[in-house]
Each structure stands twice: as C-alpha cells, then as structure tokens.
Amino acid sequence: MPDLDLVVKEIAEEMRQRPDRGEVATYIPELARADANAFGLAVIDADGNVALGGDAETPFSIQSISKVFTLTLALGKAGDLLWQRVGREPSGSAFNSIVQLEYERGIPRNPFINAGAIAVTDLILSGHQPREALGEILRFLQFLADDTTIMIDEQVAASERATGFRNAALANYMKAYGVLSNPVEFTLGVYFHHCAIAMSCRQLAMAGRFLAHQGRNPSTGRSVVSPERARRINAVMLTCGHYDGSGEFAYRVGLPGKSGVGGGILAIAPGKASIAVWSPGLDAAGNSHLGRIALEALTKRLGWSIFGA
Ligand code: GLU
C-alpha cells in the first residue's frame, strides 16, 4: 500500500504545476475573487490519520456540498417520507433547470439539484424560525467536523440572495405545487445561508467521515446515522452528486462525491477514507476541474475506486 501522506503531497504538487485550471464561477463577486491557483487536498483514513496537501487548511465556500448534510438532517427528521417530496434519480439536466421541474409537476428529481435542495431545506425549516434551522445545520457541521470555528460567510449569503432569481423561481414553482410548506423567502434565506458556509478541506473531510464508515465516526465511535442510511446517501452522491457530470465523475473517479460551485468536492471511499479537495476553477458541468483530476489520480494510485482497480 503506497504511503498516503506521500501520495497526497505528490498529487498536490502535480496539481500546483498544471496550467489548465478551469474557470472560476463568476455569478457572484465573492466567488469570482477566488484564486484560480489555489489547490487543497485532505484525506482522513479509517484510523484517523490526516494527510494534507496544498491549501488544505484554507476555508472556501462549500456551496452545494452543504446539500449532503442537509439531506442527512432531513432524512433524520422525515425518514423515508422525504422521498415523497423529492426523487432520487440523476437529473441529466442543469442544476437549476426549471423545465424539468415543470415536467415533473413540482417534484424535484433529486436532493442535490437546486430545486431538490430547496425542498429539503424547507423540510428542515418546518416548525422552526429560519435562524433556528440555520443554527441547526451549522451546529451539525461543527459537530461532525469537531470544530466550532466553522462559520457562514455572510457576504456570500447576501450576494446569493441578491442574485438568486432562478432559485426564487424554482421555489415559487414548488410552492405553487404545494411542495414547500414555509414562506418562500424563509426557505430561500436558509438555503442561501447554508450554501454560504465556509470550510477548509480538512474540516470537510472530517465532517464526511461518518459516510465512509457506515454512519459512525470511527475515532469517537459515535453513530451519526444507521449503516443503511449512510449507504443510501452514498448511493445518491454517486448517481447525482456532480450535476450533469455525475456519470463522468463515476467513470473517472469511481467514488460517491458531491461538488459545489466554490470548487470543492467531498468524496467518500467506503471503509477507507473521507476525502475533500478544492480548486476553484470549474469544468463545463460546473465541477472543480483539478479537483476531479486529483481525485482520479488518488483513487488510481491507492486502488480506492468502488468498482475495483
Ligand atoms: N448557491 C448556489 C445556487 O444555489 C449553489 C450552486 C452550487 O454549488 O451548485 O445557485
């Protein structure tokens, strides 16, 4: 078995030298300012060994990666009833598609496209004030990562709200079909804020550990979800975690993963490790360009693809 720390450092150095870096998201100024040369990688194995490469300690906007954790919370609240509000099929269309939502009568395809994530957020919000729901999401991440310094970037959240016309359209559409229970502006407020949580690769890899180890944090022994639920969340990540590039990610990397437009990816090697990578430049499908390439190199060198060597 190759030395994990060495492999991680090698990959970080290879990524640092590559000229192709993808395109940084520009839909809000806060993301457009991200440094296209940044690259971070963190891998935490089953024994709790932490291997870090590049800018693994630099916080970035986790954006849609937050949807893995809101899905986990919503399943905890509603159990399988959640699947009456949102499907679990890959969408094959853009992450913010309105056409698909109309075809499917307001029921979003999966919890990771924007419409689905907004429906999931609405479920978490029910029975609470927006700031309580948001506090619950943030505290869940702080608990998982064992790090109370994790914060929301308020400037990112404000920009998301100021420019979020398409998300508002999706939310209003679902409201018209009775899929959302709360006032649209409350649900959107919580959604924009959880997308604006900032974390480093190390913090994110820590937070994902329960998914790699049958629902338990192997260091503390604490159970977060049942093994069956962890397996199912991983299945949705594998099939739906990379927008319209989910097939390509499974083909090249072979791990469940979730990406965000901030350039982060959380990837899970079941039984082996929780992995977070960050590089702000995106490919055409909106996934981190170097993040995907780095994960492909990692799974290849360590033999970690769930589909075998
Ligand atoms: N806050 C972003 C949006 O809703 C999330 C985008 C993403 O990471 O997919 O448009």
Side-chain angles (χ1 to χ4, degrees):
M1 173 80 169
D3 181 76
L4 180 62
D5 206 51
L6 204 70
V7 172
V8 166
K9 296 253 172 351
E10 249 170 41
I11 291 174
E13 181 54 25
E14 285 162 25
M15 296 304 126
R16 197 183 61 77
Q17 289 180 13
R18 281 182 77 116
D20 55 321
R21 309 207 68 88
E23 297 290 326
V24 174
T26 52
Y27 73 97
I28 55 171
E30 287 72 16
L31 293 185
R33 275 199 290 275
D35 176 8
N37 289 316
F39 177 87
L41 176 60
V43 182
I44 307 181
D45 71 11
D47 298 327
N49 298 311
V50 181
L52 304 179
D55 306 306
E57 303 271 14
T58 308
F60 60 89
S61 195
I62 68 168
Q63 293 290 329
S64 283
I65 304 171
S66 61
K67 297 171 185 176
V68 172
F69 303 101
T70 49
L71 172 64
T72 306
L73 276 177
L75 283 169
K77 279 182 198 282
D80 281 344
L81 287 177
L82 174 77
W83 302 117
Q84 292 179 357
R85 285 218 211 180
V86 53
R88 46 177 189 260
E89 288 295 337
S91 77
S93 52
F95 66 102
N96 53 10
S97 172
I98 292 177
V99 176
Q100 188 166 63
L101 197 55
E102 173 148 32
Y103 272 133
E104 296 178 355
R105 306 189 63 78
I107 303 291
R109 260 299 165 95
N110 68 63
F112 293 155
I113 53 172
N114 284 15
I118 293 167
V120 165
T121 301
D122 184 75
L123 196 144
I124 295 172
L125 174 58
S126 288
H128 301 281
Q129 292 300 317
R131 69 166 186 285
E132 292 168 349
L134 194 57
E136 185 182 358
I137 297 167
L138 185 61
R139 278 194 302 279
F140 184 50
L141 273 166
Q142 292 175 337
F143 160 74
L144 291 173
D146 192 21
D147 191 334
T148 52
T149 67
I150 296 167
M151 292 304 217
I152 293 165
D153 185 328
E154 289 294 341
Q155 265 183 307
V156 172
S159 278
E160 295 276 358
R161 188 191 284 276
T163 59
F165 304 113
R166 198 177 254 271
N167 285 322
L170 293 169
N172 278 296
Y173 208 85
M174 288 188 286
K175 185 79 179 168
Y177 275 105
V179 173
L180 301 189
S181 313
N182 298 285
V184 163
E185 62 275 24
F186 285 10
T187 302
L188 282 175
V190 177
Y191 171 79
F192 291 137
H193 278 80
H194 73 64
C195 286
I197 292 172
M199 291 170 78
S200 68
C201 289
R202 190 177 51 75
Q203 290 169 328
L204 200 52
M206 279 291 285
R209 290 190 79 198
F210 74 100
L211 291 170
H213 304 288
Q214 303 198 43
R216 281 173 60 249
N217 177 330
S219 296
T220 61
R222 268 200 227 155
S223 168
V224 179
V225 296
S226 67
E228 183 184 41
R229 184 153 293 161
R231 172 164 56 79
R232 291 185 156 161
I233 295 169
N234 279 315
V236 182
M237 288 171 77
L238 180 75
T239 51
C240 310
H242 281 77
Y243 317 110
D244 203 10
S246 299
E248 184 70 7
F249 187 82
Y251 179 83
R252 294 198 175 272
V253 177
L255 294 180
K258 180 74 201 87
S259 72
V261 287
I265 303 175
L266 171 67
I268 301 300
K272 299 196 166 69
S274 173
I275 307 161
V277 65
W278 169 58
S279 178
L282 308 178
D283 62 19
N287 300 306
S288 176
H289 173 68
L290 289 184
R292 200 265 295 145
I293 292 173
L295 287 172
E296 186 176 358
L298 188 82
T299 50
K300 207 166 168 178
R301 285 175 215 184
L302 298 171
W304 278 0
S305 164
I306 61 171
F307 302 111

